[in-house]
Structure formats: C-alpha cells, structure tokens
C-alpha cells in the first residue's frame, strides 16, 4: 500500500474503529518484544517483529545540548534527530525522572536499584536499592515520580512489586550521603494493588493539580478492571500521602477511571487534559483521554466500540506496531514509546482530537522503547528496555537517548 494511501486508511481506522483496520490483524502478545535521524512515516500493516535478541546500533556519541525549537502546530510534519546518548549500560530500566538540576533518576526493574545519571557526562551513581521489591515477569521496581516540592523536601515516589502486591511508596533522597545509601527507607502510601506475572501497570506521575496519579493493570484477571472495589485495571488519583484525593468520582476511593487492561503511560497537555496509554490484548492498543469516572471498556471491549457508557480511545494500533509504555506530551502531540513495535509514535492533536494520522520514528533502530520524557529544554529523553521478557538483558545495550524534534 503506498504511504499516502496508508496514512488515509489509518486515519479512517482511527475514526471508525474496528470496522476499518490499519492493515491485517495480529495476535502478537503486547508486552514481549527502540538510525539516528528518520523521517516520519504513516502507520503500515503489521510485519514480523524484530527479535529483541538482535544487536542494537552502536551508541551515538554524546553531543552538546541542542537549542530548543518552537513547538510545531498540531498537524505539522516533524522530524526527529538523535543528538546523543546520555548514558548506556543500563539493566532492565523502567522509570525515568528529571531532577531540578537536569540530572536524571532511573529505576532498574529487576535489581531494584535507583541510579542517578549525570546530564553533563552520563556518569551513573547508585542512589540505593529499594528493599522489599520482588522482581519477576513484568513486576519489580517500576515507575518513579518526584514530589512537586522536591527542591525542598527531596522526596521520591516509587511504584513496585512485592511478593503479594504492587504498592506505591515514598522515599527520602539525600545525594550528600555515600553512593548506595542515599535513599531512606520506603514509606508505603498505598498497598494492595493486584500483582501478577503480567499486567502490573506501574507508571506514576504528579499532575498539574499537585496530586499523584498511578496507572495499574488487571494482573491477568480481566474482571478486576470493572470492579470498583479493586485497585487493578484503573487509573488512581491520590493525595501526596497516599489517601484518596478529594473530588474523586467515587467517594472514599482512589479510583479515577476504570476498565483498563494495563496502563503504563501518563501525561498532561498544556491545557491540563490527561492522557494515558494502554496495552491491548490481541487487537487494539490505545491512547485514551482520561476523564473522572470514565469506563474504558476492558474486558467488555478492546479498542473503539461506540457503546454507550464506554469511552472510546482517541487513537489505536495493533499490538505488533505498538504495545505502548511511557508517554509524553510535546511539540503539539503525544509521544508513545513502543515496546513490541520498537518505535516512537507521535500522535498530533488538535485539542482532544487527532489533527493528523499518527506517525512513527526510529522503527527498529534501538529495540524496545520503555519511556519517553520531555526535558526542560524542549528535547525528548528516550529510554530503551531490551530485556527479552525472560530476564535475559543484552548487557550494555539499554540506554537513554536525547532527541531533538524539528519542523520539516
């Protein structure tokens, strides 16, 4: 199919839902299974996924921090340049947070470490190891978030798995202490999030309202997503102390929205609209606009269904092309880091609607992409995660890349 025709066909699929598909369907599992500068391309038919065991390109040589470029208009064409590798040699990295001085904190899922990465030269320092983490399957030390008052309170929030649940905890961080002992003991704020070998969610972020949001999974028990009394398959909204936030749609509950299969991406646009990415099962991965009390359909439906009482996604993909983990809002759209799809997607937005068909970048160049974060200078930070799902990372392969978004 020609690229232009593919783009138009993809746009129809996103508007009309499952009745029109972007290429053939795929039954690939979403979680198994991202040179440098590539032009955007229209979504194409799913192809055989690149093996996570294939070697990745040699890391780019770190370069100077680029000058930020103005944000393009929502539907404008853009290109992406890889301006350098911030650091490499990571092992099963998952969460990524930008410190006030520009340095980064990175969580490593399987060894439960939090690393500090120098923005100047990529040097890695072990801040500490989070006790009580049980790694296995898709569980372990997952998302990180900084307190809105981090400059004064030095608090880091972490989402992680134990032997019996997933939980959210707060840790004090003192970089003046010796390496390896800079983290205080975790203070559990919310426990009892369902835990399984797969579908543990794990992304946490503070919203513009200063409250803490968390994306959870159904722990491979789909009915939990529709159970308001369960924390599984939800987006949660919490006070910084872990209590249900005031104004939540279900009094006394931390549940903000329900009917999710596995949420691993959270982001807000400049107008305060709340976006989340979700792993589908066999047919549709989703980008959703999250509203309080919204029911996003799982396991009753997957993808757009047009059913009263259920919220349809704004955009959707076959799992072989996406399996979206972390997301960020920048340059007039939402960017999604794709694991199984091994590419970076940009969804151009005009308010709460698509401005143009989603376009992909870096397809297959760096393997699985776990997280994308907008840095303060307008660049994007991209985290790769080439652990193959069985706990066998490719040593030295995982890295943080710095990307520049350009008008074309």
């Amino acid at each position: 199919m020609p690229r232009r025709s593919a783009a138009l066909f993809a746009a129809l699929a996103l508007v009309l839902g499952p009745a029109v598909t972007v290429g053939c369907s795929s039954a690939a599992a979403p979680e198994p299974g991202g040179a440098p500068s590539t032009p955007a391309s229209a979504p194409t038919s799913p192809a055989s996924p690149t093996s996570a065991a294939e070697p990745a390109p040699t890391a780019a040589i770190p370069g100077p921090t680029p000058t930020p470029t103005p944000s393009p208009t929502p539907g404008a064409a853009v290109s992406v340049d890889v301006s350098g590798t911030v650091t490499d040699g990571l092992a099963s990295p998952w969460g990524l947070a930008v410190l006030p001085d520009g340095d980064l904190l990175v969580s490593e899922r399987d060894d439960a470490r939090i690393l500090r990465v120098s923005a100047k030269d990529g040097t890695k320092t072990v801040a500490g190891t989070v006790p009580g983490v049980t790694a296995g399957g898709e569980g372990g030390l997952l998302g990180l978030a900084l307190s809105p008052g981090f400059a004064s309170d030095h608090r880091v929030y972490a989402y992680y798995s134990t032997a019996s649940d997933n939980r959210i905890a707060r840790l004090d961080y003192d970089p003046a202490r010796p390496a390896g002992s800079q983290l205080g003991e975790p203070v559990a704020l919310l426990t009892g999030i369902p835990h399984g070998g797969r579908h543990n969610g794990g992304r946490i972020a503070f919203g513009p309202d200063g409250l803490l949001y968390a994306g959870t999974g159904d722990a491979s028990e789909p009915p939990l997503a529709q159970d308001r009394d369960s924390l599984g398959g939800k987006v949660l909204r919490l006070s910084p102390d872990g209590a249900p936030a005031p104004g939540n749609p279900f009094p006394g509950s931390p549940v903000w929205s329900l009917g999710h299969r596995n949420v691993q991406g959270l982001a807000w646009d400049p107008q305060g609209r709340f976006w989340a990415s979700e792993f589908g099962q066999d047919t549709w991965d989703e980008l959703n606009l999250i509203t309080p009390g919204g029911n996003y359909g799982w396991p009753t439906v997957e993808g757009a269904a047009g059913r009263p009482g259920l919220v349809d996604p704004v955009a959707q993909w076959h799992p072989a092309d996406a399996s979206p983990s972390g997301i960020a809002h920048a340059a007039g759209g939402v960017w999604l880091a794709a694991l199984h799809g091994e590419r970076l997607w940009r969804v151009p937005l005009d308010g709460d609607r698509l401005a143009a068909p989603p376009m992909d970048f870096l397809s297959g160049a760096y393997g699985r992409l776990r997280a994308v974060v907008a840095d303060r200078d307008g660049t994007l930070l991209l985290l790769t995660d080439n652990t193959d799902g069985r706990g066998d990372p490719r040593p030295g392969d995982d890295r943080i890349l710095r990307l520049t978004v350009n008008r074309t």
Side-chain angles (χ1 to χ4, degrees), residues 10 13 43 53 66 92 104 156 161 170 183 191 194 241 244 263 277 303 307 328 331 335 343 349 356 358 385 400:
S92 61
L104 309 173
V156 177
S161 309
R170 185 183 68 229
L183 297 176
T191 62
D241 62 1
V263 175
S277 62
R307 295 195 187 185
W335 299 78
R343 68 196 74 182
L349 296 170
D385 176 9
I400 301 171

Side-chain angles (χ1 to χ4, degrees), residues 46-348:
S48 298
T50 302
S51 169
E54 294 178 2
T58 302
I61 298 174
T65 301
T67 302
T69 55
S71 296
T73 54
V78 299
S79 65
V80 168
D81 292 324
V82 178
S83 55
T85 296
V86 178
T87 198
D88 57 13
L90 301 171
S92 61
W94 212 99
L96 181 63
V98 182
L99 293 166
D101 66 357
D103 284 0
L104 309 173
L105 290 184
V106 184
S107 63
E108 293 187 323
R109 184 189 67 189
D110 296 340
D111 59 19
R113 299 192 306 175
I114 295 179
L115 309 180
R116 182 171 182 142
V117 177
S118 168
K120 180 179 179 181
D121 59 14
T123 301
K124 298 186 292 293
T125 303
V126 178
T129 301
V130 180
V133 173
T134 299
E138 295 172 10
L141 178 58
L142 304 177
L144 297 178
L146 303 181
S147 162
F150 179 85
S152 58
D153 63 29
H154 307 294
R155 288 177 170 176
V156 177
Y157 290 72
Y159 184 116
Y160 60 89
S161 309
T162 72
S164 59
D165 67 356
N166 289 301
R167 58 183 55 188
I168 299 170
R170 185 183 68 229
L171 304 94
D172 291 329
Y173 172 51
D174 184 358
R177 295 176 60 87
S181 61
Q182 296 169 349
L183 297 176
E185 288 294 314
V187 177
L189 303 179
L190 181 67
T191 62
I193 301 171
H195 171 229
R198 301 181 68 191
H199 307 174
N200 291 293
R203 198 69 61 185
I204 55 175
F206 278 92
D209 54 9
L211 298 172
L212 180 63
Y213 292 76
T216 74
D218 67 8
S220 298
E221 297 184 38
L224 295 181
Q226 292 293 329
D227 181 354
R228 289 186 187 177
D229 294 326
S230 171
L231 300 179
K234 308 294 190 299
V235 171
L236 309 178
R237 180 173 178 259
L238 308 166
S239 296
D241 62 1
N248 281 1
F250 310 115
S253 170
V255 172
W256 187 245
S257 63
L258 68 155
H260 300 288
R261 185 172 181 269
N262 193 20
V263 175
Q264 288 190 5
L266 306 173
W268 288 262
D269 63 27
Q271 291 71 43
R273 286 179 288 258
F274 182 24
W275 301 90
S277 62
E278 181 166 342
F279 289 82
Q281 185 174 29
D282 297 325
T283 309
W284 295 115
D285 293 330
E286 301 176 2
L287 175 66
N288 288 303
L289 178 61
I290 302 299
T291 57
N295 187 333
Y296 291 79
W298 178 256
T300 305
V301 300
E302 181 182 354
R307 295 195 187 185
L310 302 181
V311 183
D312 282 342
V314 173
Q316 58 188 22
W317 300 260
H318 292 304
D321 294 327
S323 297
S325 188
I327 68 174
H329 189 281
V334 172
W335 299 78
L336 298 90
L339 289 168
H340 194 37
E342 298 189 349
R343 68 196 74 182
L344 179 66
W345 285 100
R346 176 180 181 253
V347 182

